[in-house]
Each structure stands twice: as C-alpha cells, then as structure tokens.
Amino acid sequence: MEPENCHQLAETLSGESSLTELNVAGNTLGLDGCSAILKALCINNSLEILNLNNNGMGSEIAATIKKMLKMNQTLKVLQLAWNELGHAGGTAVAKGLKLNTGLTKLDLSHNGLGVGCGSVIEQALLSNHTLETLCLRGNQLESKAGTTILNALGKPGYHLSLLNSTLKYLDMSDNNLGKTAGAAVRGLLMTNSTLSHLNLSCNNIGVHGGRCWEEDNLPVQPTFQALDANQALTHLNISGNNLGGDGDKAVYGLLKYNVALKELVLGNNDFGQDATLGILHALMATLQSDVVVKDLEDDIELLEPSDLKLFGLPQQQAPDVVMEHIYFKRRKAQEAAREASEQHAEEQLRALQEADKNAEQQAAQLLQELEAEEENAAKRAKKKKKKK
C-alpha cells in the first residue's frame, strides 16, 4: 500500500465510516502509515478488527498506541505482531490496556518486548477486565518476566480478587522461560479458574521445571476428588521443553490434576523409551478425562515390539494405530469403572433401602410393644379400682 493510500484510508476511518474490519498486514506501512491509522481510530467508533502485523512501525509509535487504546473502546481485536515494538512499544501497549475496556484479543508476538516488560504486562492483566486472548510468542521475556506474567493469572496464597479472571487464551511460547516457569504454571493451575488455552512450547522448562507438575507436587491426594482439580484448562502445549526421561511423571501429574483437559501437545521433549511407555500407561490410567495427546509420534517410533505387547499389540504398529489402541483401552477402562460405580451405587441403594425397611419394622414392633404396655397398664389400673 502506498503512503498516500494509507492516509486516504485514515481519513475514511476518521469520518462516518461503517467499516468493521481492516487487514493491512505485511504492507511495510512504517511509522508514518501506522500512526495515521491509529490516530484515526481515536475518533472512529465502527472498526472492530485491525490487523497491522509486520508493518515495521518500530518503538517510536509507543505514544500513539497508548493514546488509541485509551480513546477507542470499540476495537475488539488488535494484531501488532512482527513490528519491532521493543520495550517502549510493549510498555505503551500495556499501559494503554489498563485504560481500555473494549479489546478482547491482542497479538504482540515477535516484538522483542524483553525482560523489562514483565511487570507492566502483569499490571495490565490485573487492571484489565475484558481481554480474553493474549499472544506473546517470541518476545525474549525469559524467566523473570515470564514468571511475573503467569503470576498475574494465578498464585497460591493470593485472593482471587487480586488475580486476572478474564483471560482465556495465553500464548507464551518461545520465550526461554526456563525451569522457573514450572512452578509458576503449578501455581496457576492451582488457583486460576478461567484460562482454557495455554501455550508454553519451546521454553526450555527442562527436567527440573517439569518436576513441579509431578503428582507429589500438585494437590492430588489419595482422597482426590474432581472438584479439587483444575476445571478450566482444556488445551495445553508443552512441546519442545526438554522434559526428558522423567517427563512421564510430569505428564501423569498434569493429566490427573487437569480433569477438563482435551488436548495435550508433547512433541520434541526427548522422552525416550521408558518415559514414552510411562505416558501411554498414564493415558490409560487417567480415567477422569478424554484428553488427546498430540505430537508423540517420534517417541512412539522408538518403542520395540516387546514394549507394544504390554498394551496388547502383537507387532510393530504405526504411531497413530498405537494411540488409537491406547484410547480404545482407556474407553473400555472408563466403561468398566462406570459400571463398577453404578453397581456400587446400586448396592449402596439396596443397603439403604434394607436399612430403612429394618428401621420401619423395628419402629412398628416398638409401637406394638408400647400399645400392649399401655393396654396392660389400663387393665391393671381397672383391677386396682375394683378392689377398692
């Protein structure tokens, strides 16, 4: 798009425009072109979706973005990925979010926000009550900033009123969060009740970070009840995190604690043969959910025919066949568990009914005895009166 066309578009947006969606991604609009559009949105009240991805706006646009977010409460979706916003731009967006009540989706992926943006994004999440989707992929947030942001969504000991309770989708992939992200995610799972999608892929969480998700480190007790578990998270991506040979323990803890989980992405974690077997066993043993595991094909191909015999497979099978067999065995186990539960419930009901029947019989017998005693007492009283 030529600069003059961009300014004409800005003039249209400044007028009585009925346009609701604008996609000008990848047009190299630069600082001048993007500024013109954003300034027009300060008075526009029709546009709901704006895609400015990959336009090279740079950090100098910071003040313009902040003002637009403060002035415009109509825009619902704002995409600013690949724009070299840097720390200044990220800070401006975060401060603008604190004053915004309209935006529901924000994409700041690949903008080099850096470690320094952690606290301002945290404060934005604690103040904003409308944002539902936030994409922060590839921003070199690292451990400190990443943990700070995750803590805004859930942290043990914090009252729910002090945490964000509106965000549903968070993408923090490819940020080198490191092992401390493991503990931060554990806290989030224990306290957050709204986040449904979490992408933590390619963050080098590692073996030590993954241990925070093991059963002993999550509040899963022998008397575990589904109501004690996380009921919100349905999609979790922890691929590419080097969870290693003990990763099956972390996976088992996550599966057992997140009963609403529908999809778990596990690829590129170097599980190895033993951990892969452990994950397959965990899938069959976790009967509370119908979670589907993705991207485990490379690990399954490392298994020997003797390994597959443990699951009732007679010979080497393609990974998708192995997974379907695992899900089939889980469904059978779930059906058996349901039948056993129903049978137990029926036995309990029969026992209660029998107890009620015995109680009624005992009460009737006692009543008869009382009536007989009263009758005998009346007779004795009558005889005593005649003697007088």
Side-chain angles (χ1 to χ4, degrees), residues 73-127:
Q73 306 300 325
T74 306
L75 196 67
K76 304 296 182 186
V77 178
L78 178 60
Q79 294 172 268
L80 298 173
W82 296 99
N83 269 300
E84 303 173 9
L85 294 178
H87 176 267
T91 300
V93 173
K95 290 182 177 180
L97 272 180
K98 295 175 68 174
L99 306 170
N100 186 277
T101 59
L103 211 62
T104 60
K105 179 178 179 180
L106 174 63
D107 188 353
L108 290 173
S109 301
H110 301 288
N111 270 297
L113 303 185
V115 178
C117 277
S119 59
V120 289
I121 294 175
E122 175 200 30
Q123 292 303 312
L125 290 174
L126 294 176
S127 301

Side-chain angles (χ1 to χ4, degrees), residues 33 50 80 83 95 140 156 236 240 340 348 362:
L50 175 60
L80 298 173
N83 269 300
K95 290 182 177 180
Q140 299 98 48
L236 177 61
Q348 284 187 318
Q362 290 175 359

Side-chain angles (χ1 to χ4, degrees), residues 75-340:
L75 196 67
K76 304 296 182 186
V77 178
L78 178 60
Q79 294 172 268
L80 298 173
W82 296 99
N83 269 300
E84 303 173 9
L85 294 178
H87 176 267
T91 300
V93 173
K95 290 182 177 180
L97 272 180
K98 295 175 68 174
L99 306 170
N100 186 277
T101 59
L103 211 62
T104 60
K105 179 178 179 180
L106 174 63
D107 188 353
L108 290 173
S109 301
H110 301 288
N111 270 297
L113 303 185
V115 178
C117 277
S119 59
V120 289
I121 294 175
E122 175 200 30
Q123 292 303 312
L125 290 174
L126 294 176
S127 301
N128 185 284
H129 302 294
T130 56
L131 195 68
E132 297 180 353
T133 298
L134 177 60
C135 300
L136 296 171
R137 176 191 294 264
N139 271 296
Q140 299 98 48
L141 296 174
E142 299 189 5
S143 175
K144 183 178 180 181
T147 300
T148 300
I149 294 169
L150 290 170
N151 284 343
L153 302 176
K155 188 175 182 180
Y158 277 53
H159 193 276
L160 292 179
S161 62
L162 301 176
L163 300 169
N164 179 285
S165 60
T166 55
L167 204 68
K168 297 178 181 178
Y169 182 105
L170 176 62
D171 184 350
M172 291 187 64
S173 58
D174 192 19
N175 271 294
N176 195 30
L177 301 183
K179 64 181 181 181
T180 57
V185 171
R186 178 184 62 194
L188 185 155
L189 295 176
M190 292 167 60
T191 52
N192 185 282
S193 60
T194 54
L195 194 71
S196 62
H197 290 66
L198 178 60
N199 187 345
L200 292 171
S201 62
C202 303
N203 270 301
N204 196 28
I205 292 173
V207 175
H208 294 290
R211 284 179 183 154
C212 294
W213 306 332
E214 293 179 8
E215 184 178 7
D216 293 341
N217 294 316
L218 284 170
V220 181
Q221 305 300 330
T223 56
F224 173 78
Q225 298 292 324
L227 290 177
D228 297 327
N230 185 293
Q231 300 279 338
L233 197 68
T234 59
H235 292 72
L236 177 61
N237 187 337
I238 52 173
S239 61
N241 273 297
N242 303 313
L243 298 181
D246 287 331
D248 57 320
K249 299 174 185 176
V251 171
Y252 180 69
L254 290 170
L255 289 176
K256 193 168 184 180
Y257 190 64
N258 295 280
V259 294
L261 207 59
K262 299 298 181 186
E263 179 179 290
L264 179 61
V265 186
L266 294 175
N268 299 313
N269 270 299
D270 298 322
F271 289 123
Q273 186 174 345
D274 291 341
T276 302
L277 286 172
I279 291 170
L280 296 180
H281 280 295
L283 276 173
M284 292 194 303
T286 310
L287 304 182
Q288 304 102 312
S289 81
D290 295 314
V291 62
V292 172
V293 165
K294 290 193 172 183
D295 295 347
L296 200 62
E297 291 84 358
D298 290 344
D299 299 278
I300 291 175
E301 287 181 347
L302 298 176
L303 300 180
E304 301 292 337
S306 57
D307 298 324
L308 298 178
K309 286 183 180 180
L310 298 172
F311 304 101
L313 288 166
Q315 58 187 5
Q316 197 77 32
Q317 300 284 349
D320 59 334
V321 175
V322 174
M323 292 307 301
E324 186 53 45
H325 182 73
I326 295 297
Y327 296 142
F328 172 77
K329 294 194 68 128
R330 182 177 65 186
R331 287 194 297 271
K332 288 296 183 182
Q334 288 171 332
E335 290 172 4
R338 278 194 293 269
E339 289 176 0

Side-chain angles (χ1 to χ4, degrees), residues 13 37-50 65-77 96 99-103:
L13 291 172
I37 292 174
L38 292 171
K39 287 177 180 178
L41 290 184
C42 290
I43 56 176
N44 177 279
N45 60 7
S46 66
L47 200 68
E48 296 182 355
I49 301 173
L50 175 60
I65 294 177
K66 179 182 176 182
K67 183 178 180 180
M68 186 278 291
L69 289 172
K70 177 182 178 181
M71 301 292 291
N72 186 301
Q73 306 300 325
T74 306
L75 196 67
K76 304 296 182 186
V77 178
L99 306 170
N100 186 277
T101 59
L103 211 62

